[in-house]
C-alpha cells in the first residue's frame, strides 16, 4: 500500500519491443492508474527512456512533482 491510501503499486518489466507494443508502453518511467497513463503522449510504444517537462520547462526523467500530485488527486476525485 502507498502511504495507507489503499494503493497497490505494480511494477511490470517490459523486456522487448513486442512487450512494449502490446502494453502500449511509451518509455520508462510510465505511471498509470487503472491502466491509464497519467501523462498521455503521442510517442510510439518502445523500449526507451521517457522524457518529461518540469513546470519551469526543464527536461526531466521523471514527472514534475506538482503535476504528479495533481494528476493523482484528479484520478482520486474522478476527474481524468
Amino acid at each position: 500500500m502507498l502511504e495507507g491510501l489503499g494503493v497497490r503499486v505494480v511494477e511490470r518489466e517490459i523486456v522487448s519491443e513486442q512487450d512494449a507494443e502490446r502494453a502500449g508502453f511509451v518509455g520508462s518511467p510510465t505511471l498509470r492508474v487503472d491502466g491509464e497513463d497519467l501523462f498521455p503522449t503521442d510517442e510510439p510504444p518502445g523500449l526507451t527512456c521517457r522524457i518529461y517537462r518540469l513546470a519551469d520547462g526543464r527536461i526531466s526523467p521523471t514527472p514534475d512533482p506538482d503535476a504528479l500530485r495533481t494528476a493523482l488527486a484528479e484520478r482520486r476525485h474522478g476527474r481524468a
Side-chain angles (χ1 to χ4, degrees):
M1 297 294 180
L2 185 63
E3 298 182 24
L5 297 176
V7 174
R8 183 170 61 107
V9 175
V10 177
E11 292 181 43
R12 181 171 177 195
E13 186 175 19
I14 304 292
V15 297
S16 69
E17 291 291 337
Q18 293 79 15
D19 286 349
E21 185 71 36
R22 279 191 295 273
F25 180 76
V26 293
S28 180
T30 291
L31 305 170
R32 294 180 178 172
V33 172
D34 295 331
E36 292 187 32
D37 196 323
L38 290 178
F39 301 95
T41 178
D42 293 333
E43 292 297 318
L47 292 178
T48 186
C49 293
R50 194 154 175 185
I51 296 172
Y52 293 89
R53 288 251 178 220
L54 299 177
D56 64 9
R58 290 179 295 146
I59 294 174
S60 173
T62 59
D64 185 87
D66 288 333
L68 179 56
R69 284 186 201 95
T70 298
L72 290 170
E74 288 174 353
R75 295 306 189 285
R76 186 173 187 200
H77 294 89
R79 296 183 303 265

